[in-house]
Amino acid sequence: MCEHIEDFHRTVLMLGALALYADQAGADIAFVEAIGPSLAASLPEPPPGMFPPGYDHPTAGPDYPGGW
C-alpha cells in the first residue's frame, strides 16, 4: 500500500480514537481540544477513488444555511 494511503488511514484512525476518548467519563478535554485540531489539520488528501467523482467540488453539493 502506498505510504500516502497508509498516512491517511492512520490519521483517520487516530481521529476516531480521540473522539472515542473524548466521550469517556473523566477524559481530559483540554488534551482533546489541543490535539484534535492539529491532528485534523495533518490529515492528508484522501487517496484517489475514496470518494465518488465530483464529491470534493464545493459547488456541487446542496445549499447550506448561511451560504456554505
Side-chain angles (χ1 to χ4, degrees):
M1 187 182 306
C2 175
E3 184 176 328
H4 175 76
I5 294 171
E6 290 174 359
D7 289 346
F8 179 82
H9 287 242
R10 187 178 313 110
T11 306
V12 168
L13 288 173
M14 287 190 290
L15 282 167
L18 186 64
L20 289 174
Y21 169 73
D23 283 340
Q24 292 181 359
D28 183 351
I29 299 303
F31 171 78
V32 174
E33 290 175 349
I35 299 300
S38 297
L39 189 56
S42 74
L43 188 65
E45 288 291 319
M50 176 160 278
F51 298 107
Y55 181 83
D56 62 346
H57 295 280
T59 59
D63 291 332
Y64 292 98
W68 283 77

